[in-house]
Amino acid sequence: MLKDRPVPLHLGNTPPRAKVDTSYTWLAMYFLLNLSLTIYNKAILSTFHFSFPWTLTGIHTLCSGLGALMMAKLGYFTPSQLGERENMVMLMFSFLYTLNIAISNVSLNEVSVAFHQVVRAMTPVFTIAISLLFLGKRYSAMTYLSLLPLLLGVYLATVGDYSYTAMGFFLTVLGTVLAATKTVVTNRIQVGRLQLHPLDLLLRMSPLAFVQTVIFSWMKGELDEVVSFCKVDMSYKLILALLVNGVIAFFLNYVSFTANKKTSALTMTVAANVKQVLSIVVAVTVFNTTIGFLNGMGIIMTLLGGAFYSYVDLREKKQRARPMTPAFPPPSPAGAGKASEMEELLNVRIVN
């Protein structure tokens, strides 16, 4: 017997979660959790000198899988019954998730951080291209226009040493394409034919991604370094810190998938650009990082660009949701009087 999801208590005639369960609420939580995880990762690195990115990613995926499993046991969602083809899609999606991280880490060794950030900021452009080519989506001219200050702002915010090798350039562009593809696929899995619950997607993807990150860690030699580190420097404080880090990652993944489902792939890539600039703001305020005049102008321009995109997106959603009213009244039923026909004619509302 399936366990029903707990129904929250609500008063009055207002539907439950009507004002809370919105796309912008989930985006706000996405920003908060993403910045929190960034600061927490920085604290772990500086306090415990735990500089093992693949192991940290493995902890994130493991905790995400366990968290999703716990939510399923508590009855917050019911895992879907998938066939062999759907399970293969999940396997490919998890590999895409892991490969995106791998390419990004490898490319950072071949290019400067500033160049890496600028190229990754082009993710919305690749997202539009993928949506146009493979999904047949169309975007308004205002949507394209709203992306210009955002992209220019990220360029100014990250201005610096743009050094790179030919291989580094290729890998960085490839990683950006993979990031855009991952965002589009995440959206399609949740709103397309499968229509998986965000926690269900997390439950299926995380264990596969965890195994893949362990394999990558072993291939890079990081796994042996972690074993040596644990023999000397492991402590209960570090274990607790890593556990909290994994819990934050679980909630971030859940919120990220939900925000993707409630908005769009393009909106999530725009949000990622704004998050990147907000990370610079956090570095300035928390870690006393120094930035130049152009960097500051870029931060302001990116935030304004993100606000402009949000305004355009919200306006177009309202236009699509507006009910269409016929310009002419429907034919009157037989036997209707002239007064009734005149009343219908006078009540016509022409929609531009």
Side-chain angles (χ1 to χ4, degrees), residues 40-350:
Y40 205 89
N41 287 340
K42 186 86 172 180
I44 288 179
L45 177 61
S46 60
T47 305
F48 301 101
H49 306 288
F50 192 85
S51 55
F52 306 108
W54 280 113
T55 303
L56 202 58
T57 304
I59 293 172
H60 291 173
T61 54
L62 178 62
C63 289
S64 295
L66 292 175
L69 179 62
M70 184 180 300
M71 298 298 280
K73 295 295 184 182
L74 291 174
Y76 281 88
F77 75 100
T78 302
S80 302
Q81 298 293 328
L82 301 183
E84 183 177 349
R85 181 179 178 182
E86 288 79 11
N87 286 324
M88 182 58 65
V89 170
M90 291 295 100
L91 177 61
M92 297 302 296
F93 176 72
S94 67
F95 183 71
L96 176 63
Y97 175 89
T98 309
L99 185 63
N100 175 47
I101 299 173
I103 296 297
S104 179
N105 290 339
V106 173
S107 64
L108 273 173
N109 295 325
E110 303 289 336
V111 302
S112 63
V113 174
F115 179 81
H116 186 269
Q117 290 177 323
V118 166
V119 175
R120 297 285 287 195
M122 299 298 292
T123 306
V125 177
F126 289 106
T127 302
I128 289 177
I130 293 171
S131 299
L132 288 174
L133 290 174
F134 298 101
L135 301 179
K137 283 193 173 184
R138 295 293 181 266
Y139 299 94
S140 67
M142 287 298 294
T143 299
Y144 291 115
L145 184 63
S146 67
L147 293 177
L148 293 180
L150 188 76
L151 298 177
L152 180 59
V154 174
Y155 167 75
L156 293 176
T158 59
V159 67
D161 175 28
Y162 295 123
S163 60
Y164 58 90
T165 64
M167 180 57 69
F169 179 85
F170 170 75
L171 291 175
T172 306
V173 173
L174 176 61
T176 306
V177 173
L178 289 174
T181 304
K182 178 181 71 88
T183 307
V184 172
V185 172
T186 301
N187 182 265
R188 296 311 304 166
I189 288 176
Q190 296 182 103
V191 303
R193 186 173 62 86
L194 288 178
Q195 294 189 349
L196 289 183
H197 189 281
L199 286 171
D200 198 358
L201 176 58
L202 199 59
L203 176 64
R204 298 173 188 279
M205 183 274 296
S206 296
L208 297 171
F210 170 71
V211 173
Q212 292 160 11
T213 53
V214 172
I215 294 174
F216 272 102
S217 177
W218 172 75
M219 292 173 59
K220 294 288 292 183
E222 182 181 301
L223 201 58
D224 294 332
E225 295 177 7
V226 172
V227 173
S228 301
F229 177 89
C230 291
K231 291 179 179 178
V232 179
D233 297 314
M234 183 56 69
S235 63
Y236 288 109
K237 289 184 178 180
L238 177 57
I239 293 175
L240 180 60
L242 292 176
L243 180 60
V244 173
N245 188 270
V247 171
I248 297 175
F250 159 66
F251 283 109
L252 173 59
N253 285 326
Y254 168 52
V255 168
S256 176
F257 286 171
T258 306
N260 191 319
K261 181 177 182 179
K262 290 183 175 294
T263 56
S264 67
L266 180 59
T267 298
M268 291 306 297
T269 55
V270 169
N273 276 5
V274 176
K275 182 268 301 181
Q276 181 176 321
V277 170
L278 288 177
S279 299
I280 300 176
V281 175
V282 170
V284 171
T285 56
V286 177
F287 303 110
N288 297 321
T289 302
T290 303
I291 61 172
F293 174 76
L294 287 179
N295 302 125
M297 290 297 296
I299 291 173
I300 296 174
M301 185 175 294
T302 302
L303 296 178
L304 291 177
F308 182 37
Y309 171 84
S310 300
Y311 166 76
V312 171
D313 183 59
L314 181 61
R315 189 185 68 174
E316 293 184 353
K317 283 182 178 179
K318 287 183 177 180
Q319 289 177 347
R320 290 193 295 267
R322 184 182 301 170
M324 298 297 293
T325 304
F328 298 96
S332 302
K338 292 183 178 180
S340 176
E341 293 178 357
M342 183 61 70
E343 182 180 6
E344 288 182 1
L345 182 61
L346 293 175
N347 285 336
V348 169
R349 181 166 63 91
I350 299 177

